[in-house]
Amino acid sequence: MSEHGTSCAEPAPTVYDRDLYELSYADTDWNVARRLLARCIRKGKPGSVLDIGCGLGFFVECCHRFGVPCIGIEGSAYAVEAARKREPGLDIRQHYLEDPFPFSDGAFSMVVCNQVIEHLPGTTARHALKEAYRVLSGGGAIFVYSPSMFNRTQAQDPTHINLHSPGSLKAELTAAGFRQVRSFNNPLKFTRGPLTILNHVIRALFTHVTVSFLSSPANCMAIKPEKG
C-alpha cells in the first residue's frame, strides 16, 4: 500500500502505519505469496520481478527464498523498516508510487501489483501502471490483483478508494499500453441459508460466461508488446 503526501528520502514511521500493518498482517508470513509466485513463474517471462506497493515484503521474501530476483518498492516507511528487520537480505526501497519509478526502461521481466491499486487515487494508479509499462521489457507481464467493486465486503473498507470491475481494470491496463489483457477471477460467494445453493449455480455460470457483477476480485494479467 502506498503512503501519499510530499515525497522525502526517509520519512519517519508513523503510529498509523504501525497499527495498520500490525492489525492487517499479524498472522501472515511469506507463504501467503507462494501461489502468486507460482502464477508468475508459469505465466510470466523469466527474469527479475518488481513488486510495486510491496507492503511488508512477503512476496519479495517468497521470491528471495526461491531464488527469484525481486525488488519491492513501498511508500510506507514503517513497512519498509519492518520488512528489512524481519529479513535483512530483502531489496525493498521506500518510494511513493505517484513519483517516477527509480529504474531504467525495460529493467524487469515481470511486475506485480498485489492488493494495491484499490488504495490509490485514480491518478496515482494510472501513473503507476504507466511506469510499470515503462520498466517492463518487451514481452514482460504485469499481474494486478484487486477486489472487485461488486464485492460488498471489500467496498465497505474505507481504504478502498479505487475499486474496479474486471472490465474497467482491463481498460486501465489497455490505456497504459498493455495488450493481451486477461482476467482470472472467481465468483462472489454467498454464505447464508439457502443462498449457499446459489453458489453452485453462480460458479457453474462463471465457468462459461464471465459476468462482471458476479466477480469477487478484479484480477488481470497483461503483456507489454515486444515492440512499441
Side-chain angles (χ1 to χ4, degrees):
M1 190 187 316
S2 178
E3 176 182 289
H4 304 290
T6 304
S7 297
C8 52
E10 288 292 337
T14 65
V15 173
Y16 170 78
D17 269 351
R18 184 192 66 203
D19 291 347
L20 176 66
Y21 282 99
E22 288 183 357
L23 177 65
S24 300
Y25 301 101
D27 300 317
T28 306
D29 66 15
W30 65 272
N31 283 285
V32 73
R34 292 170 70 115
R35 183 175 295 182
L36 173 54
L37 177 57
R39 181 182 291 273
C40 290
I41 292 172
R42 289 197 314 270
K43 302 291 187 179
K45 176 182 173 182
S48 57
V49 186
L50 174 64
D51 185 4
I52 61 177
C54 67
L56 293 173
F58 296 121
F59 178 78
V60 181
E61 183 177 353
C62 187
C63 288
H64 179 72
R65 287 175 179 269
F66 284 97
V68 178
C70 182
I71 297 174
I73 55 175
E74 166 59 41
S76 166
Y78 169 78
V80 172
E81 182 180 302
R84 289 173 176 170
K85 187 177 296 184
R86 185 185 73 251
E87 184 59 57
L90 302 182
D91 189 349
I92 295 179
R93 310 175 189 187
Q94 197 278 326
H95 184 81
Y96 294 120
L97 297 185
E98 56 261 47
D99 295 334
F101 292 179
F103 307 107
S104 60
D105 296 359
F108 297 93
S109 296
M110 289 180 277
V111 172
V112 167
C113 182
N114 184 26
Q115 310 303 323
V116 175
I117 201 167
E118 68 271 18
H119 298 283
L120 304 177
T123 53
T124 300
R126 287 187 286 274
H127 169 78
L129 292 179
K130 289 179 180 178
E131 280 295 280
Y133 182 90
R134 179 183 66 80
V135 301
L136 271 173
S137 58
I142 184 171
F143 299 84
V144 182
Y145 286 73
S146 177
S148 168
M149 63 189 296
F150 300 109
N151 188 323
R152 292 185 179 182
T153 300
Q154 295 295 332
Q156 292 173 358
D157 187 327
T159 71
H160 290 174
I161 59 174
N162 187 36
L163 289 172
H164 281 278
S165 69
S168 67
L169 182 56
K170 280 185 175 183
E172 293 281 11
L173 287 163
T174 301
F178 292 99
R179 298 295 179 264
Q180 301 180 47
V181 185
R182 302 190 296 274
S183 294
F184 46 96
N185 298 308
N186 52 278
L188 292 166
K189 185 176 290 185
F190 299 95
T191 58
R192 292 185 178 181
L195 289 178
T196 56
I197 301 173
L198 191 58
N199 290 328
H200 300 292
V201 177
I202 291 175
R203 183 166 293 278
L205 174 64
F206 211 76
T207 58
H208 298 289
V209 181
T210 300
V211 183
S212 285
F213 68 84
L214 294 178
S215 183
S216 179
N219 302 331
C220 285
M221 171 189 172
I223 303 295
K224 178 177 179 176
E226 290 286 353
K227 295 182 179 181

